[in-house]
Amino acid sequence: MTKYQSKFTVADAARILKVDKVIIQKWAFMFSEYMGVKANPSKGITREFQLEDIRVMAHIYTEWEDDPDIECIKIGLNRKDQFENPYITDLISSLTPIFIDPPEDIDETWTHGAIFAGLSSFADLLPLARAYKLAGDRLTEIAVENEEAWLLICPIMFNYRHSIELYLKVITGEYKQNHNLIHLYNKLTVLLKNEFNLKPPEWLENTIVSFNDFDPSSTTFRYGGGSEKDEVFIDFVKLKGRMGWLSKIFQNILHHKGITY
């Protein structure tokens, strides 16, 4: 079963560090000042370790001898040596679940990750559309800077295509599991005509039609290959600029419809 919490029993810690459970209990007591309160609970309460407790014990394990120098081990813990050892770092990484319950002490300094709460409504597709467009931009910048366009072509194009699809679904209110961009674009043209008496510029239509022609089912760039089109060259610098124009138009339409985020 997938673990979403980083909590470990004495038996878990013993298995991870390949030592006897008695040793784990001994370390928890001897080095209690470096561990969480649940590592040495009151009588009758089950002992419980967090990831950082395992990190501390991993350091103890690497320094433990038949006649261990306890003070020397504590000096190392005070110096935070447990964060410098590659073995310990890899061990903790291997034990950390991909998806975990939000830590109680999480705050604005936790910039190394993010909380995912799922989508509560289709209106939340708007920030997601922006995110996919931004992902395409960032990958494009990396590809051009590192001369890796050939390597990142599919992720870039998938992110851009999916961004277009999400924008169109938010604007038109069409949320069916359908990846057909032409269907969505046709609904867009009707909306613009009826609500604003406007017609999309030719370059916008060409952009959406091109993406749909080359990847009609949103699988070509997702899985690579599978297109019946001839070989083509994609200028990522120009494409990034085109996607910038496109997203601005979409944002303006949403603004006039009263949809913002």
Side-chain angles (χ1 to χ4, degrees):
M1 181 178 293
T2 303
K3 290 184 64 176
Y4 295 93
Q5 297 179 336
S6 302
K7 299 177 181 178
F8 304 89
T9 65
V10 171
D12 291 333
R15 173 180 54 79
I16 291 167
L17 297 173
K18 297 181 174 58
V19 298
D20 192 272
K21 289 188 289 186
V22 174
I23 295 295
I24 295 295
Q25 294 170 327
K26 181 178 181 179
W27 287 347
F29 176 75
M30 294 178 65
F31 299 90
S32 60
E33 65 265 42
Y34 300 98
M35 299 191 186
V37 293
K38 294 183 179 180
N40 289 281
S42 303
K43 187 175 181 180
I45 300 177
T46 302
R47 196 186 302 269
E48 184 180 279
F49 300 113
Q50 303 294 323
L51 267 175
E52 292 311 307
D53 298 326
I54 301 295
R55 187 191 297 275
V56 168
M57 288 190 287
H59 174 77
I60 297 169
Y61 170 81
T62 61
E63 301 295 322
W64 199 256
E65 300 173 343
D66 291 337
D67 184 21
D69 187 333
I70 304 301
E71 289 306 311
C72 182
I73 295 175
K74 289 186 176 182
I75 289 172
L77 290 170
N78 290 333
R79 286 195 313 238
K80 305 296 183 182
D81 288 353
Q82 65 270 33
F83 292 94
E84 303 298 328
N85 188 315
Y87 156 73
I88 297 176
T89 298
D90 289 346
L91 174 66
I92 298 303
S93 293
S94 71
L95 296 173
T96 304
I98 299 298
F99 305 99
I100 65 174
D101 292 334
E104 294 180 0
D105 59 341
I106 191 170
D107 58 26
E108 65 276 2
T109 66
W110 287 56
T111 57
H112 55 284
I115 292 178
F116 180 77
L119 298 177
S120 58
S121 70
F122 284 116
D124 292 329
L125 290 182
L126 177 53
L128 195 59
R130 290 174 174 170
Y132 274 102
K133 190 267 181 184
L134 178 61
D137 287 347
R138 294 291 182 265
L139 286 174
T140 295
E141 292 162 6
I142 292 171
V144 173
E145 181 179 350
N146 296 282
E147 299 182 358
E148 293 178 335
W150 60 274
L151 180 62
L152 297 175
I153 182 171
C154 282
I156 289 171
M157 297 304 288
F158 173 78
N159 277 292
Y160 279 150
R161 188 202 188 283
H162 197 53
S163 175
I164 293 172
E165 179 182 328
L166 293 177
Y167 268 123
L168 290 173
K169 286 184 173 179
V170 174
I171 293 171
T172 62
E174 174 68 77
Y175 298 123
K176 295 179 181 179
Q177 295 296 322
N178 187 331
H179 302 293
N180 190 309
L181 296 183
I182 299 301
H183 170 72
L184 293 170
Y185 176 70
N186 288 337
K187 291 180 72 71
L188 174 68
T189 58
V190 172
L191 181 148
L192 292 178
K193 176 64 176 177
N194 292 341
E195 295 191 21
F196 307 107
N197 195 29
L198 292 175
K199 180 180 179 181
E202 185 176 347
W203 66 262
L204 188 151
E205 178 175 328
N206 289 340
T207 301
I208 294 176
V209 170
S210 294
F211 267 102
N212 193 80
D213 281 353
F214 207 90
D215 187 5
S217 303
S218 189
T219 56
T220 299
F221 299 123
R222 193 185 316 184
Y223 300 112
S227 174
E228 297 180 358
K229 301 296 181 183
D230 294 333
E231 279 190 340
V232 294
F233 175 79
I234 302 169
D235 186 322
F236 285 130
V237 175
K238 290 185 174 62
L239 175 62
K240 182 171 178 285
R242 178 76 65 89
M243 289 301 301
W245 302 343
L246 200 66
S247 65
K248 286 181 180 178
I249 284 184
F250 289 154
Q251 296 284 357
N252 286 336
I253 295 171
L254 289 165
H255 175 73
H256 286 294
K257 286 175 62 66
I259 301 174
T260 59
Y261 184 84

